[in-house]
Amino acid sequence: MRTPTRIPASPPNPYDELASLADPEETLEEIPVPVGVPHDPAAGTDADTCATPGPDEDDPLGLGLKYDDPEGQPGEAAGEEEAWSPPDHRRARRSRSRRRRRRFSAVPRTAKLLFGVVACAAFLALADRCAVMYAEKKAQQTLQRQLHLEAAPQVDIHGFPFLTQVFAKRLSRVDVTVPDVAADRVSLAKVKASARDVRLTGNLPTDVRGAVIGNLDGEVLLAFDDLNRELGASQVRFSDHGDNSIRAVGKLSVAGEELRVRAQARLRRDGDRGISTDIDGMSVDIPRVATYRPGKDKGLVLHRETAERISRDAARAKALLSVPAVAERLGVPKKAVALALRDEDRLHEITGAPRFVERLMGVNLVDVVVDHPWLLKRIGIDPKLVTALMGLRPPELSDRLSLSFQLPKQAKDLHLRHVTVERDGIRADLTGVELPIGKGR
């Protein structure tokens, strides 16, 4: 039986064969010791210290070969591969965070301090503004409740910072705008006031009981649009007439006819808390017929339509000229009147004159109507309507066109000054001192 071939313990290394073919190692020559340098036998020969270094740990065969894996160890197999592992993102984030911290640490300490101061100031300013908004809201609710207002007023607190004013219990300036304030028969369109030296009362800052306004200046507006709407039951309309006066125009029912009433109302202060009007220049128009003016200077004058109709109608013209008082006011001589009453050509010469209509419109017929009531019917005017109109008393008409209002009782410490008439309405200055708000005292 054949003896089995012995298998070597490890396969032959091909690099050993290559190494056997290499030239034998040259013996290093002795390097002479320099003169004057002592030789230490215990240190060994120079050949021992200067010999060619042995094989590199990374290249044991001396062939200039290196491991591909820089982290590998020399004892590992050449063909062995490193196991795959996923990328570490947390390590990358930590690295970026460290780089940011390094950049922030590079900022000078003064800049950091300045940034902190600015941030604190912005926070305090925001807190101050929030406190102002809260205080304005509470003031609006207090004013609305105390003055019994339908809508909440607008309150603007001025001054910065606000919190220091609160702790000092004194506000420099507060503006208040109140819309639609009831004032007797009408309502004020707007009350705008500026309060200064406002002293707060109560345990601050949590329990503010009220305030005392040291000085208040403002104005009130009584709009014509509001007057026209609120006084619409009497069918009166108000507008600016110039010279600090108001034109009042309304409607009046007399003897079944709707007549138009006009008047001029002059403003006057009723004490220091109200405004009223004095009515003058009042007149009542009968459409396309005549205008009646009551009062001391009573008058009844014809409209142009009526005067022209009389000038074209011979019967009406003769009826008018037959009254001596009318003929005299027209400037027609008695002889001319006598001829005109008999001859229509002469009558036409008088009534056809260019100035006849103008003169007839300027004649006051109020006393003529009283003495000759039949004349109205003869010239085409309803005598019942004129009689009823002339029976109206001026005070009755004035009451229909008068205007007045008073400041609300809740604002008893306010006073009116300098009343003026403007295009949009009536304005009056508003003043007050030491005014309590809420539980101000």
Side-chain angles (χ1 to χ4, degrees), residues 43-368:
T45 64
D46 294 327
D48 296 333
T49 60
C50 299
T52 303
D56 190 359
E57 293 180 357
D58 294 339
D59 187 12
L61 300 180
L63 299 179
L65 301 178
K66 301 291 183 178
Y67 288 99
D68 294 334
D69 186 3
E71 298 181 359
Q73 300 298 327
E76 293 178 355
E80 184 179 357
E81 296 182 358
E82 182 183 1
W84 180 86
S85 62
D88 191 349
H89 296 288
R90 290 180 296 178
R91 179 182 297 176
R93 285 195 296 269
R94 287 194 296 270
S95 177
R96 287 194 296 269
S97 177
R98 285 194 295 270
R99 286 197 298 270
R100 284 195 295 268
R101 286 197 295 269
R102 293 193 196 101
R103 287 196 297 267
F104 184 75
S105 63
V107 178
R109 181 175 299 177
T110 304
K112 296 178 183 178
L113 180 61
L114 180 61
F115 177 79
V117 170
V118 172
C120 292
F123 176 77
L124 292 176
L126 178 61
D128 189 84
R129 293 301 91 189
C130 292
V132 168
M133 294 174 61
Y134 175 79
E136 290 175 346
K137 185 66 175 179
K138 296 294 290 184
Q140 292 172 3
Q141 296 173 353
T142 301
L143 288 174
Q144 184 177 9
R145 181 176 61 256
Q146 184 171 353
L147 298 179
H148 305 287
L149 302 176
E150 295 293 335
Q154 178 181 348
V155 178
D156 298 317
I157 301 177
H158 296 267
F160 181 83
F162 167 72
L163 293 177
T164 58
Q165 300 183 72
V166 172
F167 290 126
K169 294 187 178 183
R170 188 179 295 268
L171 303 180
S172 59
R173 175 186 166 191
V174 179
D175 292 340
V176 180
T177 302
V178 185
D180 299 329
V181 180
D184 201 5
R185 295 174 57 194
V186 298
S187 64
L188 301 176
K190 182 185 295 185
V191 177
K192 187 175 182 180
S194 179
R196 300 181 184 275
D197 189 20
V198 181
R199 302 186 298 276
L200 304 178
T201 60
N203 299 323
L204 303 181
T206 57
D207 184 18
V208 179
R209 300 174 55 195
V212 177
I213 299 175
N215 187 15
L216 183 142
D217 295 314
E219 64 178 18
V220 298
L221 170 63
L222 186 62
F224 288 135
D225 292 340
D226 293 340
L227 289 176
N228 297 337
R229 182 181 65 255
E230 295 174 355
L231 300 179
S234 59
Q235 297 179 327
V236 179
R237 296 292 181 269
F238 297 93
S239 61
D240 180 22
H241 189 57
D243 194 20
N244 204 27
S245 62
I246 303 171
R247 177 186 290 110
V249 179
K251 294 181 179 180
L252 179 66
S253 180
V254 177
E257 295 286 340
E258 191 174 71
L259 309 182
R260 188 176 185 183
V261 184
R262 297 183 180 181
Q264 183 176 348
R266 294 190 176 275
L267 288 175
R268 61 180 176 85
R269 282 195 298 115
D270 188 3
D272 61 354
R273 292 182 47 78
I275 295 176
S276 59
T277 54
D278 292 327
I279 303 297
D280 58 6
M282 189 163 36
S283 64
V284 182
D285 290 339
I286 304 174
R288 298 180 300 277
V289 177
T291 297
Y292 171 66
R293 293 190 301 271
K296 295 180 180 180
D297 301 328
K298 289 184 178 181
L300 179 66
V301 296
L302 301 177
H303 288 177
R304 179 175 293 276
E305 293 87 344
T306 304
E308 291 177 350
R309 189 164 54 248
I310 291 174
S311 66
R312 294 191 300 266
D313 192 323
R316 294 179 179 179
K318 289 180 179 180
L320 194 63
L321 291 175
S322 64
V323 179
V326 176
E328 183 179 354
R329 294 171 188 177
L330 288 173
V332 181
K334 294 181 180 181
K335 291 183 179 181
V337 171
L339 292 175
L341 294 177
R342 294 193 301 265
D343 189 350
E344 291 190 3
D345 292 337
R346 290 294 185 90
L347 178 64
H348 180 68
E349 291 178 3
I350 296 174
T351 58
R355 299 184 60 186
F356 178 80
V357 173
E358 298 295 334
R359 289 179 179 178
L360 184 57
M361 291 174 57
V363 174
N364 186 1
L365 301 176
V366 65
D367 55 343
V368 176

Side-chain angles (χ1 to χ4, degrees), residues 4-73:
T5 305
R6 183 178 179 180
I7 300 175
S10 61
N13 191 344
Y15 294 103
D16 293 339
E17 297 180 3
L18 293 177
S20 64
L21 297 178
D23 295 336
E25 295 181 2
E26 297 180 358
T27 303
L28 296 176
E29 297 180 356
E30 291 185 358
I31 300 176
V33 179
V35 178
V37 178
H39 176 67
D40 186 4
T45 64
D46 294 327
D48 296 333
T49 60
C50 299
T52 303
D56 190 359
E57 293 180 357
D58 294 339
D59 187 12
L61 300 180
L63 299 179
L65 301 178
K66 301 291 183 178
Y67 288 99
D68 294 334
D69 186 3
E71 298 181 359
Q73 300 298 327

